[in-house]
Amino acid sequence: MFTFMLAAGSYVAPALLGSPGSRWFTEIIYNWFFEGGDWNRGAAYALVLLVLCLAVVLITLRLFRVNLTDVAK
């Protein structure tokens, strides 16, 4: 789970290890914010990424039958 969350939010690793033509979701969001200046679109897609990550975490917790309170202890 920790690996997934770090990989989902990572920008540097895909930029350094990927080929010049590869486009990762985090790179696209970064480009909308800082290179294109399209803050509304970048914020919308960042929110989509956040919701998808939250969904993966909640599905994994439900799959392994772990409560969120157990994880927080």
Side-chain angles (χ1 to χ4, degrees):
M1 188 56 54
F2 290 118
T3 304
F4 170 76
M5 295 307 294
L6 289 173
S10 169
Y11 171 74
V12 175
L16 293 176
L17 299 176
S19 65
S22 68
R23 300 287 294 184
W24 290 65
F25 195 61
T26 52
E27 289 180 274
I28 293 170
I29 293 172
Y30 179 86
N31 289 337
W32 280 328
F33 273 118
F34 298 109
E35 291 177 8
D38 192 359
W39 287 82
N40 294 332
R41 191 175 193 182
Y45 279 96
L47 183 66
V48 168
L49 180 62
L50 175 70
V51 169
L52 288 175
C53 290
L54 183 63
V56 167
V57 168
L58 293 176
I59 289 170
T60 304
L61 288 174
R62 183 166 296 235
L63 181 68
F64 290 108
R65 296 185 179 140
V66 177
N67 289 333
L68 193 57
T69 57
D70 295 337
V71 175
K73 288 183 181 180

